[in-house]
């Protein structure tokens, strides 16, 4: 799995021009669209929820990459699957124990969708390893989740490298390594270099004067 995927984050988008901006990102080569769903409890911010995902997911041909930064993901994942999510990523830290992580993954898969697991910057990547065979994606946060526009935390690079090595040692070839937070042309290149194959970028893309060109730059190997 060597294809590089750009997943523009709607958290930084201008909702007054949303559909035009999504079209520009797609024209630049984006394959996925990232939804940061925040509940004001698990993270200290509120973004958008089910109605937004349900509405936007039907207006384009991109993969709907839904990131749940919410408490009690087990209660909501099926509703997000039904709303149009293709990938549903939830947080390890939002689950009370390992059994709940597996239960959430099983529920997502029972809906015919892909399951992702995310970790905060302070969580060790090794905590994800027991769940790898139930996952289609691992999302490494390179900023504190909750707000866009933060600086990239270089410790994420070590996590990506360890996860990539674990994949090699265990012959795991169908699980994406995604990174989210502070992604730009420089940090994106660093992440690609150590094994990430999905780059979630918000401000770099949607705050750019050239959305299509910003996506294109992230797709280049430098």
């Amino acid at each position: 799995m060597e294809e590089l995927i750009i997943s523009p984050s709607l958290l930084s988008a201008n909702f007054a021009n949303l559909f035009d901006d999504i079209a520009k990102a797609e024209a630049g080569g984006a394959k996925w669209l990232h939804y940061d769903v925040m509940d004001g409890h698990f993270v200290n911010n509120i973004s958008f929820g089910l109605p937004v995902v349900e509405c936007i997911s039907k207006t384009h041909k991109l993969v709907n990459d839904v990131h749940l930064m919410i408490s009690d993901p087990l209660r909501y994942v099926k509703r997000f699957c039904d709303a149009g999510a293709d990938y549903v990523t939830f947080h390890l830290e939002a689950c009370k124990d390992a059994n709940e992580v597996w239960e959430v993954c099983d529920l997502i898969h029972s809906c015919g969708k892909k399951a992702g697991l995310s970790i905060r910057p302070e969580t060790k990547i090794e905590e994800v390893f027991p769940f790898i065979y139930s996952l289609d994606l691992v999302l490494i946060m390179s900023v504190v989740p909750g707000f866009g526009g933060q600086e990239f935390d270089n410790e994420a690079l070590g996590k990506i490298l360890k996860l990539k090595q674990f994949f090699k040692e265990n012959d795991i070839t169908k699980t994406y390594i995604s990174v989210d937070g502070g992604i730009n042309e420089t940090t994106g290149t660093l992440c690609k270099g150590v094994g990430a194959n999905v780059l979630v970028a918000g401000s770099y893309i949607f705050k750019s004067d050239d959305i299509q060109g910003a996506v294109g730059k992230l797709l280049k190997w430098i």
Side-chain angles (χ1 to χ4, degrees), residues 132-133 164-175:
I132 288 296
Y133 293 100
K164 185 69 172 180
Q165 185 62 35
F166 183 84
F167 282 7
K168 289 181 179 178
E169 292 172 355
N170 293 276
D171 196 29
I172 296 167
T173 61
K174 296 183 179 180
T175 303

Side-chain angles (χ1 to χ4, degrees), residues 51-171:
V52 171
V53 174
E54 187 172 18
C55 176
I56 296 173
S57 65
K58 298 177 174 66
T59 65
H60 57 80
K61 297 180 180 179
L62 303 173
V63 171
N64 291 297
D65 174 28
V66 176
H67 177 195
L68 300 181
M69 288 176 270
I70 64 173
S71 302
D72 197 9
L74 186 60
R75 181 179 179 184
Y76 293 101
V77 290
K78 186 179 185 305
R79 294 171 68 183
F80 279 97
C81 290
D82 293 343
D86 297 299
Y87 281 77
V88 180
T89 297
F90 62 101
H91 270 264
L92 175 65
E93 303 90 353
C95 296
K96 64 179 181 291
D97 55 29
N99 286 333
E100 184 172 334
V101 175
W102 280 309
E103 190 175 357
V104 176
C105 289
D106 288 345
L107 180 55
I108 295 169
H109 288 142
S110 73
C111 295
K113 309 296 185 176
K114 304 291 188 180
L117 187 64
S118 184
I119 56 171
R120 295 175 181 265
E122 67 269 21
T123 302
K124 294 182 181 299
I125 190 61
E126 289 83 359
E127 294 188 35
V128 172
F129 292 175
F131 310 106
I132 288 296
Y133 293 100
S134 295
L135 299 174
D136 304 287
L137 178 147
V138 176
L139 174 58
I140 295 171
M141 294 300 300
S142 46
V143 298
V144 176
F147 294 89
Q150 299 179 61
E151 289 190 12
F152 182 86
D153 182 348
N154 283 308
E155 289 189 9
L157 298 173
K159 293 180 180 180
I160 297 168
L161 193 60
K162 286 182 180 180
L163 184 58
K164 185 69 172 180
Q165 185 62 35
F166 183 84
F167 282 7
K168 289 181 179 178
E169 292 172 355
N170 293 276
D171 196 29

